[in-house]
């Protein structure tokens, strides 16, 4: 079966991009389990197998000791503001390197969806590096990851991120949708793209996602995005909202879960989003500090973002940087 995990980084800030990532895993359930098994059974079985074979670990110590190739956990446990990005980079670049080696390199990053591709939404000058290939991981780490993954009888098929720049975000809000609805539409768009590119067969698909704020009901939005049949609501509540439907030949399960990053596929998506968001903010800060010596960096969150905007106002006017490219509304 296929398990997809989706998570984001940068929903709260006014500066820098929102990044939404999805990781796609395949594995053969044990003991003849079918798509009628529980979400927890499948997700825990995949995690147990990957940890047992040394593909990954939630513990950085095990990675440093060489008993696991990469660390996969909630990005907040692997990175604190101002830290080195090395821990995140090891996990993300190893997976990107593996995908490239398997001929899936062109999937390493998607900056725009089709509706965003025009000249007015090209990356801002401080983010042109996103068009460049990611560096390869150290060969010994990639080899360890590949060997362990083969032993686990599992595979990672894709790791894709969408970088939503302020101008794209602002355009969504101009359509008279709320911040929460814009966020939901971007997440569901990522889901649909990943599902649409899977092989056309009867393999069941399970999609795991962190809960989106206080929202408990997702059924109508899922109906809007997926031209599917036989929608079934399995749960809707503060901790979990879960649905099942048929999409072509497949049974699809979608679960929005509090602390969804505890599932490996969501954890990897969390790490990828955080790595790309933090990399973008470092380029953003370097760009403005180079032109305004003494300018303190920002993480982009509301209070400090206003300070940063005020201190760069004159320079932005001089450079012709419009607010819609710089500042995310709401």
């Amino acid at each position: 079966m296929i398990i997809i995990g989706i998570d984001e980084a940068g929903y709260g800030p006014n500066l820098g991009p929102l990044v939404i990532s999805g990781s796609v895993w395949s594995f053969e359930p044990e003991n003849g389990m079918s798509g009628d098994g529980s979400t927890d059974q499948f997700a825990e079985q995949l995690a147990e197998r990957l940890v047992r074979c040394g593909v990954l670990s939630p513990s950085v110590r095990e990675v440093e000791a060489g008993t696991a190739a990469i660390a996969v956990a909630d990005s907040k446990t692997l990175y604190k503001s101002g830290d080195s990005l090395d821990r995140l980079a090891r996990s993300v670049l190893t997976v990107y390197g593996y995908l490239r080696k398997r001929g899936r390199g062109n999937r390493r990053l998607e900056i725009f969806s089709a509706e965003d591709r025009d000249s007015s939404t090209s990356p801002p000058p401080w983010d042109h590096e996103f068009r460049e290939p990611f560096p390869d991981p150290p060969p010994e780490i990639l080899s360890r990851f590949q060997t362990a993954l083969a032993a686990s009888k599992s595979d990672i098929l894709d790791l894709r991120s969408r970088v939503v720049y302020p101008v794209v975000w602002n355009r969504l809000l101009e359509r008279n949708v709320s911040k929460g609805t814009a966020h939901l539409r971007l997440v569901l768009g990522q889901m649909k793209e990943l599902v649409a590119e899977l092989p056309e067969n009867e393999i069941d698909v399970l999609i795991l996602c962190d809960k989106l704020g206080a929202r408990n009901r997702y059924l109508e939005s899922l109906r809007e995005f997926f031209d599917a049949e036989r929608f079934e609501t399995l749960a809707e509540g503060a901790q979990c909202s879960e649905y099942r439907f048929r999409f072509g030949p497949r049974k699809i399960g979608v679960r929005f879960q509090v602390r969804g990053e505890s599932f490996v596929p969501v954890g990897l998506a969390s790490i990828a989003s955080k790595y790309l968001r933090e990399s973008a903010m470092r380029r953003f800060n370097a760009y403005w500090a180079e032109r305004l010596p003494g300018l303190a960096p920002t993480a982009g969150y509301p209070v400090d973002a206003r300070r940063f905007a005020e201190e760069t106002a004159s320079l932005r006017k001089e450079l012709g940087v419009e607010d819609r490219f710089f500042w995310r509304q709401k």
Side-chain angles (χ1 to χ4, degrees), residues 173-300:
L173 296 181
E174 287 168 3
R175 298 172 186 169
N176 296 317
V177 299
S178 68
K179 180 178 181 179
T181 299
H183 184 205
L184 175 60
R185 291 184 66 84
L186 289 167
V187 168
L188 293 181
Q190 186 83 328
M191 280 186 192
K192 187 173 181 180
E193 282 188 19
L194 291 170
V195 170
E197 295 198 8
L198 293 173
E200 292 186 5
N201 52 35
E202 296 185 7
I203 294 177
D204 293 337
V205 179
L206 172 62
I207 304 173
L208 304 170
C209 185
D210 205 17
K211 212 54 188 312
L212 304 183
R215 182 186 296 270
N216 294 332
R217 297 182 178 180
Y218 302 85
L219 180 60
E220 291 308 313
S221 296
L222 285 167
R223 286 184 187 275
E224 178 185 350
F225 268 77
F226 289 90
D227 182 16
E229 303 172 353
R230 292 163 49 187
F231 277 92
E232 181 182 359
T233 299
L234 304 181
E236 278 187 336
Q239 293 298 310
C240 169
S241 296
E242 188 166 6
Y243 308 88
R244 187 179 295 161
F245 56 91
R246 290 203 69 89
F247 187 65
R250 301 189 188 92
K251 285 187 289 187
I252 307 280
V254 180
R255 181 169 179 172
F256 299 88
Q257 173 76 45
V258 170
R259 290 190 51 77
E261 66 278 355
S262 62
F263 297 122
V264 165
V266 182
L268 181 57
S270 172
I271 291 171
S273 295
K274 191 66 173 178
Y275 174 68
L276 294 175
R277 160 80 188 174
E278 290 302 318
S279 297
M281 288 309 297
R282 293 188 181 202
R283 288 191 292 273
F284 176 86
N285 282 307
Y287 177 90
W288 292 105
E290 181 181 335
R291 290 156 179 79
L292 196 62
L295 177 67
T298 183

Side-chain angles (χ1 to χ4, degrees), residues 36-242:
D36 295 326
S38 74
T39 297
D40 289 342
Q41 281 180 304
F42 293 134
E44 290 171 7
Q45 192 179 110
L46 173 63
E48 188 277 333
R49 191 181 299 181
L50 294 171
V51 170
R52 173 166 40 87
C53 292
V55 178
L56 53 85
S57 171
S59 169
V60 174
R61 290 182 180 178
E62 290 192 19
V63 174
E64 292 173 345
T67 57
I70 62 174
V72 173
D74 178 8
S75 63
K76 298 180 184 65
T77 68
L78 300 182
Y79 176 83
K80 304 296 181 186
S81 181
D83 284 354
S84 165
L85 292 177
D86 288 351
R87 288 177 176 175
L88 299 178
R90 173 170 175 151
S91 297
V92 175
L93 297 181
T94 297
V95 173
Y96 283 149
Y98 171 78
L99 292 173
R100 277 202 301 275
K101 196 169 183 180
R102 297 294 298 272
R104 304 167 190 157
N106 63 331
R107 296 183 177 185
R108 66 186 181 278
L109 178 64
E110 282 286 336
I111 292 179
F112 304 126
S113 71
E115 68 182 22
D116 298 331
R117 289 191 177 98
D118 62 51
S119 59
S120 68
T121 56
S122 60
W126 47 86
D127 249 355
H128 282 305
E129 289 86 344
F130 271 147
R131 293 191 177 279
E132 299 300 320
F134 287 95
D136 288 320
E140 65 275 13
I141 296 175
L142 180 57
S143 176
R144 184 183 307 162
F145 177 82
Q146 186 168 349
T147 300
L149 191 61
S152 75
K153 297 182 180 179
S154 308
D155 198 9
I156 181 162
L157 306 180
D158 207 347
L159 176 59
R160 184 178 309 193
S161 299
R162 182 180 176 196
V163 181
V164 183
Y165 292 103
V167 65
V168 176
W169 178 256
N170 293 335
R171 178 183 293 173
L172 288 173
L173 296 181
E174 287 168 3
R175 298 172 186 169
N176 296 317
V177 299
S178 68
K179 180 178 181 179
T181 299
H183 184 205
L184 175 60
R185 291 184 66 84
L186 289 167
V187 168
L188 293 181
Q190 186 83 328
M191 280 186 192
K192 187 173 181 180
E193 282 188 19
L194 291 170
V195 170
E197 295 198 8
L198 293 173
E200 292 186 5
N201 52 35
E202 296 185 7
I203 294 177
D204 293 337
V205 179
L206 172 62
I207 304 173
L208 304 170
C209 185
D210 205 17
K211 212 54 188 312
L212 304 183
R215 182 186 296 270
N216 294 332
R217 297 182 178 180
Y218 302 85
L219 180 60
E220 291 308 313
S221 296
L222 285 167
R223 286 184 187 275
E224 178 185 350
F225 268 77
F226 289 90
D227 182 16
E229 303 172 353
R230 292 163 49 187
F231 277 92
E232 181 182 359
T233 299
L234 304 181
E236 278 187 336
Q239 293 298 310
C240 169
S241 296
E242 188 166 6

